[in-house]
Amino acid sequence: MISFALHALRHRKASFAGAFAALFCAAAMICACGTLMTTGLAGHARPGRYAGAPVIVAGDPESHFLKDKGDGEFKRKSKPNTARAWIPAALAERIRSVPGVERAVPEVSVPVLGPDGKATGHGWESAALTPVALRAGRAPRAAGEIVVARGRVGARLRVLTPAGPGAYTVVGVSRQNAGVFFSTGEAARLAARPGQVTAIGVWPAGAAKAVRDAVGGAAVVRTGDGRGQVEFLGVDAARTRLISMGAALGGTSLLVALLAVTGTFGITVQQRERELALLRAVAATPRQVRRLIGGEALLVGVLAAVPGALAGLPLGAWLHGRFVGLGAVPAELPLVLGPFAPLAAVAATVPAAWIAARVSARRVARLRPVEALGEAALTPGRTPWLRVLAGLAAVAAGVVLTLVLTSVHSDAASGPLTPLTALAWTTAITLLGPLLARCTLGLIPAGGLVAANLRADTRRTAAVLGPLTLMIALSGTLMFAETTVKNAAAEQARAGTRASHVLGPMTAAQAAELRRRPGVRAVTQVLRTRVRAIGSPYSAQGVTTEGLGETMDLKVVSGTLADLREGTAAVRTHLGKKVGDTLAIAMADGTPVRLRVVAVYERGLGFGDLTLPYPLVAAHVDVPMGTALVAAPGVKLTGTAVRAASRENSGSAVNYLSLGLIVAFAGITMVNTLALAVAGRSRELALLRLAGSSRRQVLRTLRFETLAVVLLAAALGGGIAFVTLTGFGAGMTGSSPAFPPGVFAGIVAAAGALALAATALPARAALRAAPAAVLGARE
């Protein structure tokens, strides 16, 4: 059977080219996503600033939870923090007394905002942790002196720290870009947390075990690449993000590949029905036919998957670079390449090809030998009942997933569920395509030969309709899901911001001074952060409550924000909490707190899932300098006027990049399927030419056929996107989805342009040959 499969591949290269292209792209996408997952699983950040100290003692970079398993046992869960956990400065003295320790240097970190943007300041004594060498000048000794990485000695530099604005003289320029350095005493004065430090460097390396025993649970002790984990807090979160993004992209790509390859093999088998029927007529058993087609699929799968997987490695490197450029992944987390991603791509793609081919071969393989040749010459009059049942099951899955979407209120859950819902509906369209084509093509304004061609072979029309619908549905769903949330968040922020000015960054002393200015009715300090409960991360804002009603309206539905004080919190609706409940969370630096809910509000998309007292948030973030909402109508203040304080959405660019990859993959499969379908009609096109039609007339007929199918795909794909987004909007925003008709028209136009190009190019190639030669050619 393998020899027959090799013979078929050798003599029908054009028929299998489409399947090869689809499988190649699928393997490349899956391998690229696998490299992201490999980086997330095995990636480590090498230390930069802490490279000079063999042992680093620091706060725990993770939050820890105990999850009740329901049988009296608890499972420990750890999640990365978004802020640095500080440790007592007195711990340095304890470490110095440990036998074997030669030196222990504490590090104090100070957030600094200067002319060049944000930076981190330190006391000069901690320069030994890198170590930092001076290119010019000397070390800072007095309170008004500073060392910078870029600048000139003698320059005056104004910076903002949590202690307020200050002016410093540059006395040194460092060779390494390790932040700015104050004198040791000045760094201690400027520190946001007196009596605490961010890390302690210890020498020599052999003292690590003794130091670990001495500090106990008060801190963590890291050596080697483990020092990078406590230096770059974003690394662990980025690793988790890479795993989830890689799994979501890879899973979606695999589902798209299954749909695409099934359609491609369906057209290939359909174009070979005469050949396969002849095998049945000369006593080939159904099993032998299925084995032949399955063997061909395995050969094509291997031939396409291996180079596709290799091509996925540079694609994965490019994706990693783009994520680093967009800020979703820190540059300190290098790409990790290994055998897992290519092997996983081959292991996923080859079975997908085999399954798609076996499914496509069911009808021809079951024909009785006496029916085979006659059946092969005709288009089946009905859709197989098994396909109809599978399509109805996909419809049921789409309904269930849409209903589930209406009850999902978090990005983490709705992110993978939304494209899965659209894919379920698209699968139903693909399976029920012949029935839909038969029922709906009569409604399309196309007459004569165009309508006759479309209705003559609904299987071919359905095979082309599937990838077109997939591209339009996925594009609309993924793009408009992002805009639905962003528009709702911006609208809530606009409606809830009563302040006339938004100023910042601002320290507590500056805010107090601003409150005393004439004409200022209220000043609300706002500090944004991320906190975590055992099951989910939450966006949160810390606010000062004095005059809060003058600057912000969260649309409270129960309780009152007047009760917001130490030990309390306000939460948005859909978090499952009511007034009086207890909320257990870990702050940004991992500190566990238990808070009593005093209010529930609706505008959580615009202002955050949680609203907390400002002092609580400021005590557990790296940069305790937020913005200030100022109610001062008619007063001219320096800052940004009447700006909506909408929620941060730094992942938008990453989401759009992921959207582009998936849609590009769907577009490639659509072009591939259309080109294969047109190439398989060379005999039909030649017959039209012999009947007296000109090349221009044939091409115009094909264009009208394609436009008719695009119109139907636009209606089906738009319907899928709208239904999916209705469920998404009900859960995430509580409102109707953002579905701009102009943008959707652009999506349809792009799909239509690709479809016309995919139709015209192979058609022109087929029409170049003499019609008589084509009809007389051996199949």
Side-chain angles (χ1 to χ4, degrees):
M1 198 59 66
I2 295 297
S3 62
F4 279 106
L6 286 171
H7 180 81
L9 291 179
R10 190 163 52 248
H11 292 281
R12 302 186 67 92
K13 298 183 182 69
S15 297
F16 291 101
F20 179 91
L23 291 169
F24 179 92
C25 294
M29 279 289 293
I30 294 171
C31 180
C33 297
T35 60
L36 298 182
M37 295 183 66
T38 302
T39 302
L41 291 169
H44 294 284
R46 294 181 179 178
R49 170 162 165 73
Y50 294 158
V55 182
I56 292 293
V57 181
D60 194 340
E62 295 183 322
S63 302
H64 304 286
F65 303 91
L66 291 178
K67 183 177 181 180
D68 190 352
K69 298 172 63 176
D71 54 0
E73 297 184 1
F74 292 86
K75 180 181 179 181
R76 183 182 176 91
K77 292 184 64 176
S78 298
K79 298 293 182 180
N81 297 333
T82 57
R84 194 173 302 277
W86 290 46
I87 56 178
L91 199 59
E93 290 299 326
R94 189 195 307 179
I95 292 172
R96 291 189 184 102
S97 64
V98 173
V101 172
E102 298 175 0
R103 189 180 178 193
V105 176
E107 175 196 61
V108 175
S109 296
V110 180
V112 175
L113 183 63
D116 295 332
K118 294 181 180 179
T120 302
H122 307 284
W124 179 250
E125 66 173 342
S126 65
L129 300 180
T130 304
V132 173
L134 292 178
R135 178 159 45 93
R138 59 172 176 81
R141 303 190 189 102
E145 298 177 344
I146 194 171
V147 169
V148 298
R150 291 186 299 271
R152 61 181 180 82
V153 175
R156 292 288 289 175
L157 185 64
R158 291 191 61 83
V159 299
L160 179 67
T161 68
Y168 295 85
T169 300
V170 176
V171 296
V173 179
S174 63
R175 294 184 183 275
Q176 298 90 345
N177 187 11
V180 301
F181 290 90
F182 303 96
S183 66
T184 300
E186 180 69 357
R189 184 186 73 84
L190 299 176
R193 306 185 194 180
Q196 293 185 304
V197 296
T198 50
I200 302 172
V202 181
W203 288 262
K209 185 179 184 306
V211 171
R212 188 175 290 109
D213 294 338
V215 300
V220 296
V221 180
R222 295 287 187 265
T223 59
D225 285 348
R227 295 169 295 173
Q229 182 191 24
V230 294
E231 179 179 355
F232 305 110
L233 289 182
V235 166
D236 282 348
R239 291 176 57 190
T240 303
R241 192 179 304 116
L242 282 176
I243 295 172
S244 61
M245 284 192 301
L249 274 175
T252 304
S253 300
L254 183 58
L255 290 175
V256 172
L258 278 171
L259 291 175
V261 174
T262 301
T264 302
F265 270 107
I267 291 180
T268 303
V269 171
Q270 181 183 347
Q271 293 172 354
R272 299 174 59 199
E273 282 187 349
R274 292 176 182 270
E275 171 192 327
L276 298 174
L278 182 60
L279 290 177
R280 290 287 292 123
V282 295
T285 65
R287 182 180 180 186
Q288 287 175 321
V289 173
R290 288 194 296 268
R291 286 181 59 192
L292 171 64
I293 296 175
E296 294 170 351
L298 287 176
L299 288 174
V300 175
V302 171
L303 292 175
V306 172
L310 295 178
L313 294 175
L315 177 59
W318 179 82
L319 272 177
H320 178 268
R322 294 303 305 147
F323 288 151
V324 169
L326 294 171
V329 176
E332 295 80 15
L333 182 61
L335 181 71
V336 177
L337 297 177
F340 166 76
L343 291 176
V346 173
T349 306
V350 174
W354 184 83
I355 293 171
R358 292 293 291 251
V359 169
S360 303
R362 289 186 71 258
R363 192 188 75 85
V364 174
R366 289 186 306 170
L367 292 178
R368 292 192 297 270
V370 294
E371 299 175 327
L373 291 177
E375 182 75 9
L378 299 173
T379 299
R382 61 182 180 83
T383 304
W385 64 269
L386 189 59
R387 180 169 181 165
V388 175
L389 288 179
L392 294 177
V395 170
V399 171
V400 171
L401 290 174
T402 303
L403 293 175
V404 172
L405 266 180
T406 62
S407 61
V408 172
H409 312 297
S410 66
D411 292 331
S414 65
L417 188 59
T418 302
L420 183 62
T421 304
L423 284 172
W425 285 113
T426 306
T427 302
I429 295 297
T430 302
L431 292 170
L432 300 177
L435 288 177
L436 291 171
R438 196 174 299 122
C439 296
T440 57
L441 286 175
L443 304 176
I444 295 179
L449 186 58
V450 173
N453 284 341
L454 291 174
R455 298 187 188 101
D457 194 345
T458 54
R459 286 187 302 157
R460 183 182 64 206
T461 304
V464 174
L465 181 66
L468 265 171
T469 304
L470 175 67
M471 181 181 177
I472 294 172
L474 276 182
S475 300
T477 299
L478 296 177
M479 180 178 293
F480 298 152
E482 185 75 21
T483 56
T484 294
V485 175
K486 289 180 66 176
N487 290 352
E491 177 57 33
Q492 288 186 14
R494 281 193 297 268
T497 302
R498 293 180 172 177
S500 55
H501 299 77
V502 180
L503 309 178
M506 185 169 292
T507 66
Q510 289 174 311
E513 180 183 349
L514 185 60
R515 290 187 181 96
R516 294 191 292 268
R517 295 184 62 173
V520 174
R521 295 207 311 238
V523 176
T524 299
Q525 288 181 265
V526 181
L527 189 57
R528 299 187 179 275
T529 186
R530 300 282 292 181
V531 300
R532 178 175 287 278
I534 188 171
S536 175
Y538 295 122
S539 60
Q541 63 172 358
V543 299
T544 54
T545 56
E546 183 182 354
L548 182 61
E550 296 270 358
T551 59
M552 185 183 298
D553 178 15
L554 299 181
K555 200 173 182 179
V556 175
V557 295
S558 63
T560 175
L561 291 175
D563 294 334
L564 188 65
R565 56 178 61 90
E566 183 180 356
T568 65
V571 303
R572 78 175 180 98
T573 53
H574 304 308
L575 291 190
K577 295 291 183 180
K578 60 183 184 297
V579 174
D581 287 350
T582 299
L583 178 68
I585 59 173
M587 299 301 294
D589 62 354
T591 303
V593 295
R594 296 180 67 85
L595 307 171
R596 181 172 57 85
V597 176
V598 296
V600 179
Y601 56 90
E602 288 189 357
R603 291 182 173 137
L605 291 176
F607 294 94
D609 299 318
L610 308 177
T611 297
L612 308 174
Y614 188 91
L616 174 64
V617 174
H620 300 285
V621 295
D622 290 331
V623 184
M625 295 182 289
T627 57
L629 302 182
V630 184
V635 178
K636 199 168 184 180
L637 297 174
T638 302
T640 305
V642 199
R643 180 175 63 86
S646 59
R647 76 172 190 170
E648 297 178 2
N649 197 351
S650 59
S652 295
V654 174
N655 293 339
Y656 283 128
L657 176 61
S658 304
L659 159 69
L661 287 172
I662 295 174
V663 172
F665 184 29
I668 290 171
T669 61
M670 181 267 291
V671 170
N672 178 45
T673 304
L674 275 169
L676 185 62
V678 173
R681 299 173 64 184
S682 57
R683 292 174 60 85
E684 175 189 335
L685 301 181
L687 185 60
L688 288 174
R689 291 282 289 117
L690 287 176
S693 299
S694 65
R695 292 184 181 179
R696 183 176 180 182
Q697 288 174 321
V698 174
L699 289 173
R700 186 172 60 185
T701 300
L702 289 176
R703 282 196 295 268
F704 278 121
E705 288 181 24
T706 301
L707 288 175
V709 177
V710 168
L711 183 62
L712 179 57
L716 295 173
I720 289 172
F722 187 79
V723 169
T724 303
L725 290 171
T726 299
F728 173 83
M732 287 296 296
T733 68
S735 59
S736 58
F739 204 91
V743 179
F744 181 71
I747 293 174
V748 175
L754 283 175
L756 288 173
T759 301
L761 294 178
R764 289 180 184 275
L767 290 173
R768 288 193 188 100
V774 174
L775 289 176
R778 179 183 175 185
E779 291 192 19

